[in-house]
Amino acid sequence: MNDNQENILTVNGLSVNYGKFQAVQNVSFNVLKGEIFGLLGPNGAGKTSTLSALEGLLKPQSGSIVIDGYDAGEKPLYARASLGVQLQSTSFQPELFVVEVLELYAGIYGLTLTRNEILAILREISLEDQAFKKFGQLSGGQQQRVSLVIATIHNPKLVLLDEPTTGLDPQSRRQLWERIEAIREKGHAVLLTTHSMEEAESVCDRIAIIDHGRVIAVDTPQALIDKHRTDPEVISVSRRGKITLEDVFIALTGKTVRA
Amino acid sequence: MDTVIPKTSTVLAALLRADFTTQWRNRRSVILTLVVPVIILISWKGLVAIKGGAFALSNSITIGLIATGLMGYTNAIARDRDKGIFQRLRVAPVPTWTIMASRICVQLVMIILVTTAVFIAGNEYDKITLTPSGYAFTYFTAIIGGLVYLSLGQMVAGLITNPETVNSTTRLVYFVFIMVGMFGELGILGVQVHDMEHWSPYGTVKTILAGSMEPGKWTNDTSIALLLTGLYAAIFAAIGIQRFKWNSNK
Ligand SMILES: Nc1ncnc2c1ncn2[C@@H]1O[C@H](COP(=O)(O)OP(=O)(O)O)[C@@H](O)[C@H]1O
Ligand SMILES: [Mg+2]
C-alpha cells in the first residue's frame, strides 16, 4: 500500500480554508519513520490548521494526506489509529480521576490495561501519587504530562504535538524534550509545532518553516543555517556575529510581530 | 499494514464508563434535578384531590424531564465543547456518533430516575398508584418526552456556542416552561395561554404522560399530542444536530 516505506506521513498539496480565508495553501512535506519533525512558524502561520487536517478535525479544501499508508480522507479511522495526538488546547473531563482518564483512552484505543498497568504508566511520569486526584485538580504541568502520556498510550507510529512546550517552565521544558526523545527512541515518529527555535534546533531532526499558510523551507536545522549563512537578510538580523536558526527564521518570515 | 481499529463496543463501553462516572461525581446537581419535581408534587398535594393523581404526576415528571434534558445535558456538552474535550475524543479512532450516544445513554438513565422518583414520592405522600401497565407505559412516554427536551437542549447548544450564554438561555427557557406550563395548565393565566400551553412542548409531553398513566382514558387528543411530541423532537434534533459544532473556536 505504501509506495515509500520510509515515510510515516506524506502531505501533498494540502490547502485548508476557513470560509474564503486560506489558512493553509498547497503545503507539502513528509515525515520519515522514527524522526522528530518540527513545524515552525509565527502565530497564525497555519500550524494548528495543518495538524487539524491530519487529525481529521477539519476537511481540507484539497490535497492528500497519507498516514502509515492510509489515506486520511478515505480511511479516516485507520489513519487516526496510527496517530497519537496532543492538541494545542486539550482537556479531559475535570471530574474524572487521572487513572480514569487513562482508562477511558486505553478503552478508546482498544487496549485492555489493568489498573496496575495504568498505575505503572503514571509512575513513569511521576504522577502515581496523583492517580486518584481529579484531573481538574492537577497543575498545568501535570495535566500536560497526562495528555502527553495519553498521546503515546497506544504505541502510535506517529505522534502529533501542537506547541507542547508552550507555557512550561525551563525545567519542565527540558524534561519534555527528554520525553519527546524517548518517544523517538521507542521508534515513533514525532511531528511537533513550536515557535521556540532553541527547541527546534536541539530536538528536531528536520524542520519545515511555514508562514502565511505556505511552507517556505524544509531541511535539517543545520542545513538551513548553512544554506542561509551568507544571505544579507540573515546577517542583518543576526546578533553577536553568530548565525542561529532564529536568525534564519526571522529573515525568512520577516520582523513583523503577529497577533 | 497491521493497523487495527478498536471495536465500537469497546469504545462505547469506555465512553459510557467515563460519562457515568462524571455524572456520579456531579451527583449534587443530579439530586437537585430529582428533588425539584418531588417538591412540586408534594406541594401540590391539595390539587391531587381536585385534579387527580395523573395530573400531578404528569406535571412533576415533565418538569423533571425539562431539567434533565435542558439543564443537565445541554450545559454539560456546552462546557465540554468549550474545554476541547470533544476535540480530543474526536481525534481518536472512534466513530463520532459514539461520543454523543454515550452522553444520551446517561440522560436516558436520568429520565428513568426522575420518573421513578416522582412515582415513589406520589405513592408515599399522595397515595397515588397506577396499574402495572400504567407504570410501564409511562416509562415509555417519559423517554419520548425526555427526548423532546434533550433535542431542545441540543438545539440550544447548536445555535449558541458560549457555555455561559448556553447556561443562562437554558435557565430562562426552564423558567418560562415552568411558569407557563404549570400556571397555564391551571388556567391561572387565562384561556389563550392555556390553549397555547396545551399544544406546547410542555403541554404535549404532559398530556402523553397523563394519558399513559391511565391508558383507558387515552383519547384522540392524546394521540395528537403524541404526534406533536414526536414532531417537536424531530425538528429540534434536526436543527440541533445540523448546527452543532464540535469546537468553540476561541
Ligand atoms: N476556526 C477558524 N476560523 C477562521 N479562521 C481561523 C480558524 N482557525 C484559525 N484561523 C485562522 O487561520 C490562520 C492559521 O491559524 P492556526 O492554524 O491556528 O495558526 P498557528 O497554529 O500557526 O498559530 C490564522 O490566521 C487564524 O486566525
Ligand atoms: Mg497553533
Side-chain angles (χ1 to χ4, degrees), chain A residues 68 70 80 95 100 157, chain B residues 1-2 25 79 90:
Chain A
D68 192 29
Y70 293 105
R80 272 186 255 155
E95 296 92 346
E100 291 166 345
K157 294 177 186 159
Chain B
M1 230 71 50
D2 50 352
R25 300 270 149 77
R79 183 204 72 170
R90 270 182 359 117

Side-chain angles (χ1 to χ4, degrees), chain B residues 197-212:
Chain B
E197 178 278 331
H198 188 70
W199 300 113
S200 73
Y202 182 99
T204 59
V205 169
K206 201 229 79 151
T207 303
I208 60 169
L209 285 168
S212 50

Side-chain angles (χ1 to χ4, degrees), chain B residues 159-189:
Chain B
L159 298 173
I160 303 170
T161 317
N162 182 297
E164 274 99 57
T165 318
V166 168
N167 192 295
S168 44
T169 305
T170 52
R171 275 174 203 233
L172 181 71
V173 177
Y174 181 56
F175 182 74
V176 169
F177 265 124
I178 290 190
M179 286 299 136
V180 177
M182 285 184 3
F183 297 114
E185 183 68 23
L186 293 170
I188 294 170
L189 303 176

Side-chain angles (χ1 to χ4, degrees), chain B residues 15-248:
Chain B
L15 286 168
L16 282 169
R17 190 167 158 194
D19 288 339
F20 274 105
T21 309
T22 305
Q23 188 80 349
W24 173 246
R25 300 270 149 77
N26 290 328
R27 55 192 173 276
R28 272 199 205 183
S29 67
V30 170
I31 288 169
L32 205 66
T33 305
L34 300 181
V35 161
V36 172
V38 167
I39 291 178
I40 288 173
L41 182 64
I42 294 170
S43 66
W44 276 14
K45 200 175 168 85
L47 275 176
V48 174
I50 309 164
K51 292 258 189 181
F55 173 85
L57 288 188
S58 62
N59 272 293
S60 299
I61 293 175
T62 305
I63 286 160
L65 295 179
I66 295 174
T68 301
L70 207 50
M71 313 276 279
Y73 173 73
T74 312
N75 287 310
I77 61 174
R79 183 204 72 170
D80 289 356
R81 168 172 63 188
D82 197 58
K83 283 181 172 289
I85 291 170
F86 286 141
Q87 291 295 74
R88 181 59 191 82
L89 288 170
R90 270 182 359 117
V91 300
V94 304
T96 309
W97 65 264
T98 57
I99 300 172
M100 278 308 171
S102 167
R103 298 292 175 113
I104 289 168
C105 276
V106 174
Q107 297 308 320
L108 292 180
V109 170
M110 281 299 298
I111 290 170
I112 307 264
L113 284 179
V114 168
T115 310
T116 308
V118 172
F119 281 157
I120 292 174
N123 198 342
E124 290 286 315
Y125 295 97
D126 298 330
K127 302 283 169 281
I128 307 169
T129 49
L130 307 178
T131 59
S133 67
Y135 281 118
F137 202 12
T138 306
Y139 276 113
F140 176 69
T141 44
I143 287 175
I144 296 178
L147 289 177
V148 174
Y149 304 120
L150 284 174
S151 51
L152 180 60
Q154 184 74 38
M155 186 170 90
V156 172
L159 298 173
I160 303 170
T161 317
N162 182 297
E164 274 99 57
T165 318
V166 168
N167 192 295
S168 44
T169 305
T170 52
R171 275 174 203 233
L172 181 71
V173 177
Y174 181 56
F175 182 74
V176 169
F177 265 124
I178 290 190
M179 286 299 136
V180 177
M182 285 184 3
F183 297 114
E185 183 68 23
L186 293 170
I188 294 170
L189 303 176
V191 179
Q192 266 167 341
V193 175
H194 181 272
D195 285 350
M196 202 184 76
E197 178 278 331
H198 188 70
W199 300 113
S200 73
Y202 182 99
T204 59
V205 169
K206 201 229 79 151
T207 303
I208 60 169
L209 285 168
S212 50
M213 287 171 196
E214 298 163 306
K217 292 190 188 167
W218 187 280
T219 63
N220 236 349
D221 205 52
T222 328
S223 297
I224 296 172
L226 180 62
L227 214 71
L228 268 178
T229 306
L231 197 67
Y232 283 132
I235 293 171
F236 295 154
I239 298 173
I241 293 169
Q242 200 225 330
R243 298 291 295 268
F244 187 75
K245 292 209 207 77
W246 289 94
N247 64 345
S248 62

Side-chain angles (χ1 to χ4, degrees), chain A residues 165 169-179 198 202:
Chain A
T165 55
D169 61 25
Q171 283 82 2
S172 322
R173 187 181 287 246
R174 274 300 157 89
Q175 201 181 39
L176 182 65
W177 292 1
E178 282 162 22
R179 294 218 163 91
E198 187 201 1
S202 62

